[in-house]
Amino acid sequence: MAKLILSMDGLVLKEIPLTKERTTIGRKPHNDIQIDNLAVSGEHAVIVTILNDSFLEDLGSTNGTVVNGNPIKKHFLQNNDVIELGKYKLKFLGEASGASAGGDKADFEKTMVLRPASARQTGGEALRSAPGSQRGAAMPQAAAAVAGIADATKTVPPAPQPAAPRPAGQPLGAIQLLSGANAGKELELTKPLTTLGKPGVQVAVLTRRPQGYFITHVEGAARPNVNGQQIGPAPHALKDHDVIELAGVKMEFFLKA
């Protein structure tokens, strides 16, 4: 289990395991991690943890959030990252397993780009998932974008792994793109976690659990829409034929027989 080590001036104050999907940080008492200091905003930042992945987002704080000396708005946390909030520091310690030591970052950065018809020259919508996804063959035009991301981040994608088994009796979920240049394409949700969206604009994750499939907002000022309604901060359960709108792309979630 990932955890945070809270310290000030080199003195360790507390160890906080990241047991919740949303861990809030701020000066007000209702936060999961309360730091009673005027340099820290009432609701300063939040960490979203999905499986082995943790995402840090600054919540528009007055003094900002710094990771490893660099101010951030949104950041994918890696092992030994140091979050700075005024004089306080939070050191992120990820999973101890070998897969998490480098795999999580690679999983997050392994990006397939879907170019909407209206934005072929200006950029693409990203559709990301854990390694082993089958959609790469269906979208060869994404290869150059994936290579560019790998070069920029110095990340080597991990070797493909077999899909995790579905819980007994649970139908396989999938999404079909309804808009954009790749409208009609399907993606089977065989992995425990699939990341969808456009980095820097809007990102969400689809998770497969014994209770079914859920969508959770990760990045962006606005949350995704499901059937025309914006989802809340908590994971939103998906039903057969729900229509998701994310980063300007519409897609339909459905269950396969």
Side-chain angles (χ1 to χ4, degrees), residues 5 13 23 27 89 92 106 117 136 156 164 210 216 225 240:
I5 306 297
L13 303 177
T23 301
R27 192 177 69 253
K89 293 184 178 181
F92 175 77
V156 179
T216 305
N225 287 339
D240 195 19

Side-chain angles (χ1 to χ4, degrees), residues 3-224:
K3 60 184 178 181
L4 298 170
I5 306 297
L6 176 64
S7 66
M8 183 181 70
D9 296 331
L11 177 65
V12 174
L13 303 177
K14 189 186 296 186
E15 181 177 305
I16 306 111
L18 295 175
T19 57
K20 300 174 63 177
E21 286 189 343
R22 287 179 62 86
T23 301
T24 58
I25 306 168
R27 192 177 69 253
K28 293 182 179 179
H30 67 262
N31 287 284
D32 299 303
I33 302 174
Q34 183 192 10
I35 300 177
D36 191 9
N37 185 276
L38 291 177
V40 179
S41 295
E43 296 175 350
H44 197 104
V46 64
I47 295 175
V48 177
T49 299
I50 307 292
L51 299 178
N52 294 330
D53 294 334
S54 292
F55 310 85
L56 171 68
E57 180 176 359
D58 182 85
L59 296 177
S61 63
T62 301
N63 295 315
T65 302
V66 174
V67 177
N68 302 330
N70 299 311
I72 63 95
K73 292 296 183 183
K74 302 169 186 71
H75 178 77
F76 182 88
L77 287 168
Q78 301 177 73
N79 197 38
N80 293 319
D81 274 353
V82 176
I83 305 165
E84 298 177 45
L85 307 170
K87 294 182 179 180
Y88 290 83
K89 293 184 178 181
L90 286 162
K91 185 174 183 179
F92 175 77
L93 298 178
E95 296 282 347
S97 66
S100 295
D104 288 350
K105 174 65 174 176
D107 291 356
F108 185 72
E109 294 294 352
K110 189 172 184 182
T111 304
M112 293 294 182
V113 177
L114 302 179
R115 295 186 181 277
S118 61
R120 291 178 183 272
Q121 303 300 322
T122 59
E125 308 302 328
L127 191 158
R128 298 183 282 183
S129 75
S133 170
Q134 299 300 312
R135 69 179 182 280
M139 291 173 281
Q141 69 271 29
V146 175
I149 289 171
D151 291 343
T153 60
K154 306 301 183 184
T155 299
V156 179
Q161 299 175 4
R166 296 197 307 278
Q170 185 188 85
L172 176 66
I175 57 172
Q176 182 179 43
L177 298 175
L178 302 179
S179 64
N182 288 286
K185 298 290 186 182
E186 290 187 10
L187 168 66
E188 291 187 349
L189 302 173
T190 59
K191 299 297 178 182
L193 180 149
T194 302
T195 307
L196 303 168
K198 182 177 180 181
V201 176
Q202 196 177 42
V203 176
V205 293
L206 297 182
T207 52
R208 176 163 56 85
R209 308 180 185 182
Q211 303 92 337
Y213 288 85
F214 292 78
I215 181 171
T216 305
H217 173 69
V218 171
E219 179 180 328
R223 301 188 186 104

